[in-house]
Amino acid sequence: MKTILVTGGTGYIGSHTVVELLNLNYEVVIIDNLSNSKEMVLDRIEKITGKRPKFYKGDIRSREDLNKIFKENKIDCVINFAGLKAVGESVRMPLEYYENNIYGAVVLLEEMKKNGVFNFIFSSSATVYGDPASVPVDETFPTGGTTNPYGTTKLFIERILQDLAVAEPEFNICILRYFNPIGAHPSGLMGEDPNGIPNNLAPYITQVMVGKREKLNIFGDDYDTPDGTCIRDYIHVCDLAYGHVCAIKKLEEKPGVVVYNLGTGKGSSVFDILHAFEKAYGKPIPYSVAPRRAGDVTANYTKVDKAAKEIGFTAKYNIEDMARDAWNWQKNNPNGYEE
C-alpha cells in the first residue's frame, strides 16, 4: 500500500501519524475541516519530513469532498481520525457527537466502497470498554456500558465496522483502541494544540507551566487507587503514530476485522503524570482538587501482548519522555500553532 488517505490529518494524533508515514515513504493525502486544528500544521510536517502532504480542506460528511479526493488520487488505505473527541463536551453536546462521528464514518465508508477502496483503519478508544470490571484490559473484554457519548460513538462505529465486514468481505478493517495519548514530536515543532480550555490532562498542565492557566484542577482524589486519583495508560503520541504503520502492514495480509489495544501496559495516576511534568519543568506545578467529573472511570490500562505478537507493536517511551516532549513543544510554542 502506497497512498494513505488520513482524515483529520492536521489534528494532534493525525499529524504525528502523517509524519511517521512520510518518513517511511508512504504518499499521504489529508482531508480535514480544521474545526480543531490549524493549516499551519502542514508547514511543520514539511519542516520535519522534507515532504508536504497533499491537503484538502473538506469534511468527511460531504460526499462531494470525498469523491473529489478519490477521483484525483489512487487511495490504497484510509485512516480515520476525523471526529470530535472531548469526553466532557460530548456529555453537553451529544447530538453533535453522534452526527459528526457516526454519520461521518458511514458516509466515508460508503464513498470508499463506491470508489473501490477497502482498507480501513479506525481510530477507536479504550472508552469502549466502559468501566472495566478489572485491569489490565485486553481485547477479549466486553465492550459497552460506555460512560459518555464520545465513547458511545466509538462503540457504535466499531459495531458498524463489524457488520460491514460480514456483509462486504472485501473490506479489511483494523480497529485500534487507544489508551491516553500525550507527548509531542521530539523536535518541538508539533504537539497538542486544543481550542479553548483543554479537555485533556497534559495540555492543561503545560498551559499552567507557560502561565496561560492559573493551576491544574484534579477531578477527584478519593478514587480507590494508591493515591486517590484516576489511573490511565498514557502512551506517547509518536508511539501511537507508529502503531498505525504496524496496522497498515497487517491489512496487507487481508485479515478481515482485527482489533488491537494500543498503550504501554502500565497504569499511571494523575499525580504520577503531574510529578513527571514537574521533573521536566524543574519546579512544582500549582494544583487543587476539584469534585469528580461525570464519565470518568477509576482505572483503565491495557495488556499489550496481542499488539506485540500480531503486529509487532511495542511502546518505546515512558511518562518522563512524554512529559519532556510535551513541555518542549509548549515552551517553544506557548500559543500552540498561532504565529
Side-chain angles (χ1 to χ4, degrees):
M1 283 187 252
K2 194 64 190 145
T3 304
I4 315 295
L5 172 61
V6 181
T7 74
T10 55
Y12 173 47
I13 302 170
S15 59
H16 285 81
T17 302
V18 168
V19 163
E20 188 74 28
L21 292 169
L22 291 171
N23 282 338
L24 291 166
N25 294 320
Y26 288 93
E27 298 290 324
V28 177
V29 178
I30 294 174
I31 178 172
D32 202 304
N33 65 9
L34 304 177
S35 67
N36 194 27
S37 62
K38 313 256 183 346
E39 201 166 339
M40 188 208 290
V41 172
L42 300 166
D43 300 334
R44 302 296 180 90
I45 290 171
E46 187 172 16
K47 208 174 221 180
I48 293 166
T49 65
K51 301 169 193 168
R52 194 174 185 88
K54 198 166 180 184
F55 176 70
Y56 292 81
K57 184 177 179 198
D59 196 298
I60 61 166
R61 293 168 293 182
S62 162
R63 294 179 191 279
E64 196 182 343
D65 290 350
L66 292 173
N67 267 310
K68 181 174 164 60
I69 292 171
F70 288 123
K71 293 284 178 286
E72 293 178 4
N73 305 276
K74 163 97 182 58
I75 303 294
D76 299 303
C77 177
V78 176
I79 305 179
N80 183 24
F81 293 107
L84 300 172
K85 64 179 181 73
V87 167
E89 182 183 71
S90 76
V91 176
R92 294 194 308 275
M93 299 164 45
L95 293 178
E96 285 85 344
Y97 271 68
Y98 289 120
E99 194 272 339
N100 186 87
N101 295 7
I102 298 175
Y103 176 68
V106 169
V107 172
L108 177 60
L109 290 161
E110 285 175 344
E111 296 308 314
M112 284 175 63
K113 182 184 165 188
K114 197 191 294 178
N115 287 280
V117 180
F118 297 109
N119 294 304
F120 189 73
I121 295 170
F122 178 54
S123 160
S124 191
S125 162
T127 54
V128 300
Y129 294 113
D131 195 347
S134 63
V135 283
V137 176
D138 72 30
E139 292 84 352
T140 64
F141 272 45
T143 57
T146 45
T147 57
N148 54 74
Y150 160 72
T152 307
T153 67
K154 296 295 190 187
L155 183 70
F156 286 175
I157 294 166
E158 286 199 12
R159 185 59 197 268
I160 290 165
L161 292 170
Q162 301 276 6
D163 290 343
L164 176 66
V166 171
E168 309 278 351
E170 64 270 53
F171 267 94
N172 288 292
I173 296 165
C174 185
I175 294 168
L176 298 177
R177 295 175 180 155
Y178 310 162
F179 280 67
N180 292 60
I182 63 171
H185 194 270
S187 64
L189 288 167
M190 274 181 13
E192 193 166 6
D193 181 25
N195 288 337
I197 299 170
N199 287 291
N200 295 330
L201 178 63
Y204 205 104
I205 294 175
T206 59
Q207 289 194 9
V208 173
M209 291 160 86
V210 292
K212 290 183 84 167
R213 311 264 161 220
E214 182 196 350
K215 60 181 180 182
L216 172 68
N217 288 314
I218 292 176
F219 296 104
D221 65 350
D222 58 348
Y223 285 92
D224 184 14
T225 63
D227 64 21
T229 63
C230 290
I231 288 176
R232 296 289 180 270
D233 189 332
Y234 294 92
I235 177 171
H236 197 297
V237 67
C238 291
D239 277 334
L240 194 57
Y242 173 65
H244 291 79
V245 174
C246 298
I248 292 170
K249 293 183 174 142
K250 181 68 182 176
L251 289 185
E252 287 169 358
E253 299 169 18
K254 303 209 178 308
V257 182
V258 284
V259 179
Y260 300 104
N261 290 344
L262 295 185
T264 61
K266 296 184 182 75
S268 303
S269 73
V270 175
F271 278 130
D272 291 334
I273 296 298
L274 179 64
H275 299 327
F277 276 95
E278 288 178 331
K279 188 175 169 188
Y281 192 38
K283 51 187 171 186
I285 293 166
Y287 73 89
S288 64
V289 176
R292 290 186 181 196
R293 195 169 50 174
D296 279 340
V297 302
T298 301
N300 201 1
Y301 57 95
T302 185
K303 273 182 89 164
V304 292
D305 314 29
K306 187 182 180 193
K309 183 164 157 253
E310 294 188 15
I311 59 174
F313 171 77
T314 310
K316 295 197 301 273
Y317 298 97
N318 62 29
I319 60 172
E320 277 82 17
D321 301 325
M322 300 173 209
R324 178 200 63 219
D325 291 342
W327 171 228
N328 185 38
W329 148 255
Q330 192 79 72
K331 171 174 75 178
N332 289 311
N333 303 271
N335 299 311
Y337 290 108
E338 299 293 340
E339 290 288 25

